[in-house]
Amino acid sequence: MPIPIHSARLRRLSPGEPTTGPVVYWMSRDQRVSDNWALLAAARQALETKASLVVVFCLAPNFLGATIRQYGFMLKGLVQVEARLRQRTIPFCLRLGEVVPSLAAFVREINASLLVTDFDPLRIKRRWKDQVIDAVSIPVLEADAHNIVPCWEASSKQEYAARTIRPKIHRRLDEFLTNFPELPAFARALALPPVDWDAARQSLRIDHGVTEVDWLEPGENGARDLLTRFIAQRLEHYGQRNDPNAPVLSELSPYLHFGQISAQRVALAVMASNAAAESRKAFLEELIVRRELADNFCWFNQAYDTVEGFPDWARKTLDKHRRDPRAYVYDLDDLEAAATHDPLWNAAQMEMVAAGKMHGYMRMYWAKKILEWSASPEEAMAAAILLNDKYELDGRDPNGFTGIAWSIGGVHDRPWFERPVFGQIRYMSAAGCARKFNVKEYVRRFQG
Ligand code: FAD
Ligand code: FO1
């Protein structure tokens, strides 16, 4: 019985029909065995052509400045991937060194007939894929294993806001928010040596100065346990999600970022729960609409990490206020050391540095203050992205680039009352926060 997969989840990146020979799943964004449409597509092709299936992950020596905090979490998750695949007699191979040449060599070495990979809107991934397609002579298939409605199905253009993509996503959920077929076990496998995880860690050229975190158990098992706990204990109170002192968030973003759990699986579990409809609806709006809007932005706007990616009205208003006097100007070192005049901002920075995950509501305030205290919007973008991606476990993600562009450049937002420095970019203040939650309590929790 072939593995049922909605054809719209797959797209061919390069022409040609697969011949005989192993099918390779080049795992990158979706680092899990369960509920993975890219792995299921590779498995289906291998079964249909009676070929063997191999999963390969290419470990980049330094991926967009990631530190041992993120690589440590990711590698622990990949150890579980190798073990779970072994249970199904599917070999897992970890390739080290520059990604494109090492993958192309692997494809040649095992005489692969088809390469399947997973969708990712980030520039670096698109570049890797373009170069891999030039380097190999076999067909390449891509599956969107990250979004519920595949990015290229949800919309054919950059969307203005959540309100414009929401109906386009909602009308396709019946078609795509389905259960997953089982991944079959294979009878035989290519004999590949087990992974040398020490050599993998040695191959990294990364900053070891940011501590790894220990409050989350990396990998698929930890993700599933956390989802169960979230639904049982916190989802009901998700209406308090804008209070950074209320422990009601799912904390799933590191797992979603590394693809250690499927957003589709999370959505199915939340919908099946008996939490109040209001809580489920609010959570699914973030998990499905906001998250897929971020992929849409990064996919259709390749200037997603610069001021050029902002809407025209935002660029104009920020230009108009470029020379406004700044009451405070901080450089990257001041910000990184949480050494500003604002205890609330400093506490948010310290939460991120210490825990590797700043509360979602504080991320908006945090980024907006960087705009207010930087010499230019360009410097604000650079500082916010650098700090976000250095310390957040879930950094280097379309959600991050989009969240920062929303905060600093009005992406997916609209013009507000004009004021110095911000122009018509939505403003947030500590006084505004104090009207929403207990600022003193939050500051007390995180001051050094
Ligand atoms: P929950 O509230 O439990 O949400 C569950 C999931 O829904 C999240 O894991 C995420 O996948 C999605 N989600 C929630 N809020 C948003 C949102 N605003 N935009 C897109 N998806 C959302 N998210 C990252 O994954 N990585 C980042 O680097 C990142 N940086 C951000 C920077 C700024 C300035 C802003 C304003 C937002 C940023 N976000 C980022 C989005 C959001 O803050 C986090 O996804 C969320 O706080 C993660 O915590 P959680 O999983 O406990 O959230
Ligand atoms: N993807 C890879 O294919 N190889 C890597 O070595 C790799 C390292 C890495 C480190 C930190 C991080 O946050 C992401 C990393 N990714 C890597 C990419 C990740 O899987 C996601 O695809 C993107 O970051 C989000 O789209």
Side-chain angles (χ1 to χ4, degrees):
M1 158 68 173
I3 301 171
I5 301 175
H6 192 307
S7 58
R9 289 192 191 283
L10 306 174
R11 65 191 194 125
R12 211 184 256 303
L13 296 188
S14 69
E17 285 308 313
T19 54
T20 54
V23 174
V24 174
Y25 166 33
W26 171 24
M27 177 184 277
S28 178
R29 191 180 194 194
D30 293 281
Q31 301 167 21
R32 66 179 177 279
V33 176
S34 316
D35 309 331
N36 183 331
W37 291 116
L39 177 55
L40 287 162
R44 180 174 70 177
Q45 179 66 23
L47 288 171
E48 281 173 6
T49 56
K50 299 188 178 21
S52 47
L53 171 65
V54 185
V55 176
V56 64
F57 186 87
C58 297
L59 188 66
N62 181 310
F63 184 81
L64 299 181
T67 73
I68 190 60
R69 171 173 285 181
Q70 295 88 11
Y71 268 98
F73 188 88
M74 186 180 81
L75 286 171
K76 289 184 186 119
L78 290 172
V79 168
Q80 285 181 33
V81 165
E82 181 192 32
R84 279 171 171 259
L85 287 171
R86 191 183 301 116
Q87 288 165 0
R88 286 171 178 73
T89 324
I90 300 172
F92 175 79
C93 176
L94 192 81
R95 298 288 281 196
L96 309 180
E98 288 315 309
V99 167
V100 173
S102 94
L103 177 67
F106 179 71
V107 161
R108 273 194 302 277
E109 274 161 36
I110 66 162
N111 192 23
S113 66
L114 173 73
L115 184 64
V116 182
T117 187
D118 45 44
F119 171 74
D120 189 325
L122 296 190
R123 239 190 335 267
I124 184 170
K125 298 293 192 76
R126 296 170 80 151
R127 192 169 62 239
W128 283 358
K129 285 173 197 176
D130 291 346
Q131 291 168 354
V132 163
I133 288 166
D134 287 346
V136 302
S137 57
I138 57 173
V140 182
L141 213 52
E142 183 181 65
D144 186 341
H146 212 73
N147 295 304
I148 294 168
V149 179
C151 189
W152 51 75
E153 289 291 326
S155 169
S156 54
K157 66 180 177 54
Q158 178 182 330
E159 292 292 330
Y160 287 105
R163 66 175 162 71
T164 63
I165 202 173
R166 185 178 299 115
K168 297 182 179 181
I169 286 177
H170 279 186
R171 71 166 160 261
R172 305 292 298 271
L173 285 181
D174 285 348
E175 191 183 345
F176 288 104
L177 186 43
T178 63
N179 227 313
F180 287 90
E182 267 300 306
L183 176 71
F186 279 67
R188 57 189 177 78
L190 273 186
L192 288 179
V195 173
D196 179 347
W197 293 103
D198 290 340
R201 278 183 180 260
Q202 299 308 320
S203 74
L204 299 176
R205 301 283 168 271
I206 58 174
D207 173 351
H208 285 260
V210 181
T211 51
E212 295 189 60
V213 297
D214 58 8
W215 57 277
L216 275 180
E217 185 211 331
E220 288 191 61
N221 301 332
R224 295 297 283 260
D225 293 347
L226 184 67
L227 173 60
T228 306
R229 282 202 307 280
F230 168 62
I231 288 176
Q233 299 156 7
R234 300 197 298 274
L235 175 58
E236 191 58 37
H237 312 292
Y238 194 67
Q240 298 165 44
R241 64 187 174 287
N242 286 337
D243 176 353
N245 296 318
V248 302
L249 303 187
S250 69
E251 310 296 0
L252 284 170
S253 60
Y255 297 109
L256 288 163
H257 167 68
F258 285 106
Q260 295 174 359
I261 192 165
S262 153
Q264 188 163 336
R265 174 60 63 197
V266 174
L268 290 169
V270 164
M271 286 166 70
S273 77
N274 50 23
E278 196 48 39
S279 301
R280 283 181 282 145
K281 185 166 171 271
F283 179 79
L284 293 172
E285 166 71 8
E286 303 290 352
L287 177 79
I288 302 176
V289 176
R290 277 278 159 199
R291 206 176 46 85
E292 305 208 2
L293 177 63
D295 262 33
N296 169 275
F297 176 61
C298 292
W299 180 244
F300 287 107
N301 188 328
Q302 283 288 295
Y304 53 75
D305 53 354
T306 67
V307 172
E308 283 66 43
F310 297 172
D312 290 346
W313 68 265
R315 279 212 305 283
K316 282 197 186 73
T317 198
L318 287 167
D319 280 344
K320 182 178 163 195
H321 292 271
R322 263 184 197 284
R323 264 172 283 293
D324 289 5
R326 268 79 170 146
Y328 298 91
V329 176
Y330 295 114
D331 65 15
L332 187 61
D333 293 343
D334 302 326
L335 297 171
E336 188 161 20
T340 76
H341 68 288
D342 177 355
L344 176 59
W345 189 92
N346 294 341
Q349 174 66 18
M350 284 187 275
E351 177 183 28
M352 177 176 70
V353 170
K357 187 171 180 292
M358 187 191 297
H359 188 279
Y361 187 82
M362 293 313 299
R363 297 197 200 199
M364 297 186 281
Y365 179 79
W366 175 84
K368 285 180 178 291
K369 289 301 157 191
I370 292 178
L371 169 62
E372 189 171 348
W373 303 329
S374 292
S376 72
E378 288 78 6
E379 284 176 63
M381 278 295 276
I385 290 170
L386 186 142
L387 293 174
N388 183 90
D389 289 0
K390 180 172 180 180
Y391 292 105
E392 299 281 19
L393 260 178
D394 57 25
R396 269 162 304 284
D397 194 282
N399 292 344
F401 294 116
T402 307
I404 291 167
W406 177 89
S407 304
I408 295 176
V411 166
H412 301 144
D413 202 358
R414 61 175 178 75
W416 286 73
F417 317 105
E418 191 152 9
R419 56 176 300 122
V421 181
F422 281 75
Q424 294 176 294
I425 300 292
R426 180 196 298 254
Y427 182 69
M428 284 177 80
S429 67
C433 288
R435 285 194 292 275
K436 283 187 182 274
F437 63 87
N438 185 332
V439 165
K440 283 194 175 38
E441 160 75 8
Y442 181 77
V443 169
R444 194 189 51 69
R445 286 168 59 208
F446 296 107
Q447 53 198 9

